[in-house]
Amino acid sequence: MTAATASRYTAEYSSIAPTLPGQNLPWLTALRQDALTKFSAQGFPSLREEEWRYTNVSAIEKKLFSSSLIGQAQEPVATELLAAYQLPDAWSVVLLDGHFCAELSALNDLPETVSVMSMADALAKQPEIVERYINQAVTNDEHNFVAFNTAWFTDGLFVHVPAKLVLEKPIQVVHLNTKNDALASTRTVIVAEQMADIKVIETFVGLDIAYLSAAVTEVFVGVNADVTLYKMQCESNKAYHFGGIYVKQAKHARFIHHNFAFGGLLARCDIHTDLDLASECELNGLYLGVNRQHIDNHTRINHLKPHGISRELYKGVLDDRARGVFQGRVIVAEDAQKTDSQMNNRNLLLSNDAEADTKPQLEIYADDVKCAHGVTVGQLDEKSIFYLQSRCIDEETARNMLTFAFANEMVDKIKIKSVHDQALEQVLIRFPQEGVNKEWL
Amino acid sequence: MLSIKNLTVNVNDKQILKGINLEIKPGEIHAIMGPNGSGKSTLSHILSGKAGYTVTGGSVTYQGKDLLEMPPEIRAREGVFLAFQYPVEIPGVSNIYLLKAALNSIRKHHGQPEVDAMDFLTLVKDKVRLLEMDEKFLYRAVNEGFSGGEKKRNEILQMAILEPKLCILDETDSGLDIDALKVVAEGVNSLRTANRSFVMVTHYQRLLDYIKPDFVHVLANGQIVKSGGAELALELEEKGYSWLEDSKAAV
Ligand SMILES: Nc1ncnc2c1ncn2[C@@H]1O[C@H](COP(=O)(O)OP(=O)(O)O)[C@@H](O)[C@H]1O
Ligand SMILES: [Mg+2]
């Protein structure tokens, strides 16, 4: 925004820079310098930018969230919080306030050919491999949150799965935020080689404090490979969250994303994917806003080559004074004939003060394609209410049941039971009205 | 059981039902037949309490009480069940959840405790078998992605489990192939008791080959223009409805 406010972050940078990983790597230093220059010039994105017109991030600039330098010994409250979110049946990596925490992570018995390590470790041990991927699915020019992340990231995760390997358990990355006014900036790279099959869960949680969590994830889905990525954004309700997920799909690659946006005072998430020949993507999203939460989801599906298939469904439930934003772009390149794309955004407003801004955009440059999109913003369907009433259920319970059901449709798409149950619990916590009997579910 | 007297109903200021009289005693099966648009669904909806209709005259008494005064869910808990012509899809709510919620609402209404989980499962699985459905349907979202026939079967499944006193079936036969029709009819027949009454709304007499009605009424233009026994359905099959609509016009 203004160079003056951006300069508060910039001013701090020189003291942080020497502690960042990959100091000895000229290519990374250059990348970070380029990012810093861009960020210093413009600051965080402004409302004047088309893709940020509904989301005002000036509060982040006013506050100055500061990089915590070392992941300190965890307080008991933090471990308690972690215990509530760490999945029992997954390999798990914990990023504590933006730094890998070995004691809390559990990576035993990973197949030898798979590498799962902290980004700092990867930059130290195999920088030439990291260099092949970092900033390749997105660039510093995307917008200044990405540039900011490039310059500031303190750690993150690097995952490489060799060809044909099917990982039988998912990998969970828990971003655990425990420090007031702290910045946690992380970069994750996930590579699935040809015909590999992996599932990764990115979980964001924090204590009941204000912090800025800025995480960029780049995903490379190899030829005929499968990547399913879950995002469980359960940040503190005082927190600021920026998450960017940028995906490159090779030929015949399949990418499925489930985006659950539950937490944060201000949360923005970008999901962009590029589809090559006959690749398929499925983007599912659920955002639940209460109080004064502002939740912005921004997706871009880029059909670059023929025969791609994309399916997108984002649902929002907004109560109180919450605001939900959905901007979904589908771009079909001239070369991408026979593309088959469907995009839907449905919003349920539970209060008169809640707001949904939705903007689906189709940009089609090919002539032989099947593309559809639909948007709804509204209240519950009266026909459904009557149907439930005719099945003995009173109107208020019917309304609560349908609200729950609206959200639960997205939860039901989750195939991993522990993740499903966690998402279900989050939905129930956020809409605790009478009307849904947990024991019967 | 049910007594409808001179009932007139408007939708958006247009009169749809123009003085309906109908007496239904416990254990009886009444078929209501008539051409499309004659008001059959309107009558079914009025009985189950759907909003959007204005009763301009007449009365409906159910088990001695004023039915029109009751909210839809109370009617349902008191034993009125409507099998919808167009069952509604409810993504996110499983069939089994809805069945449990409905059954427990009825039990609560009658001052009974919640159904035991095991007993419930046994009951439900019994009825699923009766209707020759796959148990998987129980765990799928209500009607979501069901074929037309599956939806109708699912309505009868709900009916079989909730054990209503007055069953209103609105065009349950439409969309069913002959095998499904037989299964559904068998399900309905198995529910026949001395106390349970049925109103079968249908356009064709096909269903009545399998569920024999005690009375057949012809609804045309918002009025019952002719009543008779089961043989009337066959006569209608042969002659169609136009002779009745014409005779009514002459009145
Ligand atoms: N919501 C409505 N608004 C206006 N007209 C309606 C509405 N519902 C029903 N009607 C009219 O009422 C008449 C009876 O409809 P319906 O009861 O559905 O007939 P049936 O079930 O016998 O085919 C039709 O003429 C129909 O167009
Ligand atoms: Mg009808």
Side-chain angles (χ1 to χ4, degrees), chain B residues 11-141:
Chain B
V11 177
N12 299 333
D13 292 331
K14 182 182 159 206
Q15 194 170 46
I16 307 288
L17 299 184
K18 304 170 179 171
I20 303 279
N21 289 290
L22 195 61
E23 287 293 327
I24 298 177
K25 298 206 172 63
E28 289 179 353
I29 298 191
H30 290 244
I32 297 185
M33 303 184 68
N36 279 329
S38 57
K40 303 184 298 295
S41 289
T42 303
L43 180 61
S44 311
H45 289 152
I46 279 288
L47 294 178
S48 52
K50 190 175 179 180
Y53 301 92
T54 316
V55 176
T56 51
S59 67
V60 181
T61 312
Y62 169 70
Q63 295 191 313
K65 291 180 203 156
D66 182 352
L67 186 71
L68 301 177
E69 280 293 300
M70 300 180 202
E73 66 272 18
I74 302 296
R75 300 181 196 200
R77 291 172 195 168
E78 289 277 336
V80 177
F81 183 94
L82 169 65
F84 283 61
Q85 179 174 5
Y86 303 109
V88 180
E89 297 192 9
I90 315 227
V93 176
S94 71
N95 250 332
I96 194 152
Y97 183 94
L98 176 59
L99 287 168
K100 202 167 209 179
L103 189 60
N104 279 327
S105 299
I106 294 174
R107 293 176 69 95
K108 195 170 169 200
H109 184 70
H110 294 298
Q112 295 164 335
E114 268 184 20
V115 61
D116 171 78
M118 288 313 290
D119 293 350
F120 174 72
L121 215 56
T122 312
L123 168 74
V124 168
K125 289 189 173 171
D126 259 8
K127 302 299 182 187
V128 163
R129 230 168 290 128
L130 173 73
L131 288 159
E132 297 181 10
M133 291 169 76
D134 191 324
E135 270 183 31
K136 283 195 202 110
F137 274 91
L138 291 171
Y139 302 96
R140 282 176 57 181

Side-chain angles (χ1 to χ4, degrees), chain A residues 125-145:
Chain A
K125 291 181 185 152
Q126 39 177 267
E128 66 293 341
I129 299 180
V130 179
E131 186 184 2
R132 284 218 295 272
Y133 297 106
I134 213 160
N135 263 38
Q136 298 304 306
V138 67
T139 69
N140 294 335
D141 296 321
E142 180 61 33
H143 56 60
N144 268 352
F145 260 108

Side-chain angles (χ1 to χ4, degrees), chain B residues 167-178:
Chain B
C167 308
I168 306 161
L169 283 71
D170 191 358
E171 307 252 8
T172 296
D173 50 339
S174 67
L176 292 183
D177 61 36
I178 195 71

Side-chain angles (χ1 to χ4, degrees), chain A residues 90-331:
Chain A
W91 284 293
S92 135
V93 172
V94 176
L95 298 174
L96 179 63
D97 299 306
H99 297 270
F100 175 67
C101 178
E103 304 91 86
L104 296 176
S105 302
L107 290 170
N108 322 329
D109 306 324
L110 261 172
E112 261 169 37
T113 52
V114 175
S115 58
V116 177
M117 60 178 88
S118 75
M119 182 54 82
D121 237 17
L123 286 168
K125 291 181 185 152
Q126 39 177 267
E128 66 293 341
I129 299 180
V130 179
E131 186 184 2
R132 284 218 295 272
Y133 297 106
I134 213 160
N135 263 38
Q136 298 304 306
V138 67
T139 69
N140 294 335
D141 296 321
E142 180 61 33
H143 56 60
N144 268 352
F145 260 108
V146 174
F148 177 73
N149 176 274
T150 305
W152 261 264
F153 77 83
T154 50
D155 206 342
L157 177 70
F158 182 81
V159 176
H160 183 273
V161 182
K164 295 188 185 164
L165 193 125
V166 178
L167 259 193
E168 82 271 25
K169 284 200 297 181
I171 299 167
Q172 184 189 25
V173 196
V174 185
H175 296 252
L176 181 61
N177 295 295
T178 68
K179 287 187 191 154
N180 199 35
D181 290 337
L183 160 68
S185 182
T186 56
R187 177 66 65 105
T188 293
V189 168
I190 298 168
V191 183
E193 299 284 4
Q194 183 166 345
M195 290 173 80
D197 185 342
I198 54 164
K199 293 161 184 67
V200 179
I201 301 131
E202 297 184 288
T203 304
F204 294 85
V205 291
L207 298 178
D208 186 27
I209 48 173
Y211 56 85
L212 170 59
S213 165
V216 168
T217 300
E218 296 180 81
V219 185
F220 301 85
V221 193
V223 174
N224 205 7
D226 280 278
V227 173
T228 305
L229 192 61
Y230 296 84
K231 174 167 178 169
M232 299 287 273
Q233 191 272 90
C234 308
E235 304 277 22
S236 134
N237 284 340
K238 295 177 182 142
Y240 295 82
H241 174 94
F242 170 78
I245 294 146
Y246 305 96
V247 186
K248 285 231 178 287
Q249 296 182 240
K251 288 174 194 170
H252 298 277
R254 285 166 299 274
F255 174 70
I256 300 177
H257 194 250
H258 299 269
N259 180 11
F260 292 92
F262 295 136
L265 179 61
L266 177 73
R268 156 81 176 220
C269 185
D270 284 5
I271 297 129
H272 295 179
T273 183
D274 287 352
L275 285 82
D276 201 327
L277 179 74
S279 48
E280 300 173 17
C281 79
E282 184 182 320
L283 304 185
N284 300 304
L286 175 67
Y287 43 103
L288 303 183
V290 295
N291 301 322
R292 288 179 162 275
Q293 276 183 287
H294 180 110
I295 304 179
D296 179 356
N297 286 296
H298 185 110
T299 67
R300 191 188 300 162
I301 297 171
N302 227 340
H303 285 276
L304 297 169
K305 291 277 151 53
H307 294 287
I309 301 176
S310 59
R311 292 288 178 270
E312 175 167 19
L313 175 60
Y314 264 69
K315 288 177 119 182
V317 183
L318 302 160
D319 202 353
D320 307 318
R321 306 181 69 83
R323 185 167 174 201
V325 177
F326 172 80
Q327 291 199 76
R329 268 171 83 189
V330 174
I331 304 155

Side-chain angles (χ1 to χ4, degrees), chain A residues 24 82 109 190 216 231 273 325 367 387 389 393 419 433:
Chain A
N24 56 329
L82 177 64
D109 306 324
I190 298 168
V216 168
K231 174 167 178 169
T273 183
V325 177
D367 48 27
Y387 187 75
Q389 284 183 288
I393 292 159
V419 182
Q433 301 106 320

